[in-house]
Amino acid sequence: MTTLSPYDNLSPVAQTAYRARAAAADLAPLPRAAKDDALLAIADALEVRTAEIVEANAQDVERAREAATSDGVIDRLTLTPERVRAIAADVRGVASLPDPVGEVVRGSTLPNGIDLRQVRVPLGVVGIIYEARPNVTVDAAALCLKSGNAVLLRGSSSAHASNTALVRVLRDAVGGSGLPADAVQLVPGRSRESVRELMRARGLVDVLIPRGGASLIRTVVEESTVPVIETGTGNCHVYVDAQTDLATAVDILVNSKAQRPSVCNAAETLLVHKDVADAFLPLALDALAEAGVTVHGDEHVLAHAEASKATVVAATEEDWETEYLSYDIAAAVVDSLDAAVAHIRLWSSGHTEAIVTTSQAAARRFTQLVDSTTVAVNASTRFTDGGQFGFGAEIGISTQKLHARGPMGLPELTSTKYIVTGDGHVR
């Protein structure tokens, strides 16, 4: 008699989720050494099989170019040998981090003698829905493994060849190290229906994390029955205060905007205090021009355009809310720090805002009034990043206020449970 698998009558997505759930149960009690060995095996495998990964990625890049995809998206999609080595280094960085599982968040002995401890535990099965960012495939897998979670990866069809190759490498390394290979799985299917099924796998998937543009994030938040950790778009601002060092302000602005414009922590809007505008804008416009940035300016910024080398166009209301992810930036002159804060409150996505100032009072007021995940003082917006914060890689940058906010590292991929230890206690 033929014995049916309990998964045989399920859809491919459900089968994948059930296997992930079984893998998560096996991962949860593992010691740090076992998980670190798997991560180091992943890092080694990525380097050994770089050519295989880059070859698969070249197929995706070529299709993207044929589809006239924007330069910013192609940049995020592209994997080079150098980028693969950097990803491997990030995995080794995750392996070196403390294991959050089992950490005692708080504990005490109650008056009745019961020992009470709140400890960190894995979330279980984490689903990641993301766009053309194949590096997320490895970052997410590494962070989930380290925190004892199984991960279901649903990347966009534009990176299908890259993600397939990467997951093949990851699974071989994980299984070869003695951990369940099903701890890392690519969600089957390339249609939107597979995404919908993942979003409705409540009871099988513990949490979903979307990474991508506003439309993707909104769809997952609004349509999912699985709990969602909302990552946000990055309409980030740089505000140049009345009291500022001009050279420092120019350096921070250019780095925030042009160091890598296709990522969510790149600056999209410049705000300049009116008292320093005449001195700062000529320097800023010329520096942005040298970096190849087009400025979408208000009437005050436009007034400085003719005397600069910059390409300056008139800003529309739409510009203030746009996450360009390109060599474009909106720019306006404001009457005061409070006016800058009001503009940010109206248009910001709540990701990262920076102030450049020599006034401690201005810095203090700005950090108190601006309600974003990260507020930078005299530093580039590009520092809002799990790696830069010392978290290793990051699973995403949460712009919500529940459970996790800002760059999400290992602790944000855990929940907690209470352990109550008595000695025959009854209530």
Side-chain angles (χ1 to χ4, degrees), residues 70-88:
S70 71
D71 290 342
V73 173
I74 289 177
D75 176 62
R76 285 179 291 172
L77 175 63
T78 301
L79 292 176
T80 63
E82 293 75 21
R83 287 187 178 181
V84 174
R85 283 195 293 271
I87 292 170

Side-chain angles (χ1 to χ4, degrees), residues 52-230:
E52 173 186 341
I53 295 165
V54 171
E55 181 180 356
N57 177 253
Q59 300 173 31
D60 291 329
V61 172
E62 181 60 28
R63 281 192 292 269
R65 290 200 175 106
E66 290 174 354
T69 305
S70 71
D71 290 342
V73 173
I74 289 177
D75 176 62
R76 285 179 291 172
L77 175 63
T78 301
L79 292 176
T80 63
E82 293 75 21
R83 287 187 178 181
V84 174
R85 283 195 293 271
I87 292 170
D90 286 342
V91 175
R92 292 191 179 95
V94 172
S96 71
L97 296 171
D99 185 350
V101 177
E103 175 191 345
V104 178
V105 178
R106 57 181 171 179
S108 63
T109 300
L110 303 181
N112 60 8
I114 281 179
D115 179 75
L116 178 67
R117 286 178 295 142
Q118 182 186 20
V119 300
R120 292 197 180 277
V121 295
L123 291 170
V125 177
V126 178
I128 315 291
I129 300 175
Y130 54 108
E131 293 178 329
R133 296 174 170 91
N135 64 294
V136 173
T137 302
V138 182
D139 291 349
L143 286 167
C144 285
L145 282 172
K146 179 76 176 195
S147 53
N149 298 291
V151 63
L152 295 176
L153 299 157
R154 181 51 169 86
S156 62
S157 59
S158 60
H160 183 74
S162 305
N163 291 335
T164 299
L166 285 167
V167 170
R168 184 166 55 243
V169 172
L170 295 174
R171 286 174 59 85
D172 288 349
V174 171
S177 68
L179 271 62
D182 284 339
V184 181
Q185 295 183 79
L186 200 63
V187 176
R190 300 174 67 175
S191 69
R192 292 188 178 183
E193 187 53 42
S194 69
V195 179
R196 292 191 191 97
E197 189 173 353
L198 180 62
M199 292 191 295
R200 288 167 172 76
R202 191 177 182 92
L204 292 176
V205 179
D206 293 289
V207 66
L208 283 178
I209 303 173
R211 288 191 62 174
S215 177
L216 168 70
I217 294 166
R218 183 171 57 251
T219 297
V220 175
V221 169
E222 293 177 354
E223 297 186 15
S224 178
T225 62
V226 175
V228 176
I229 297 177
E230 184 176 352

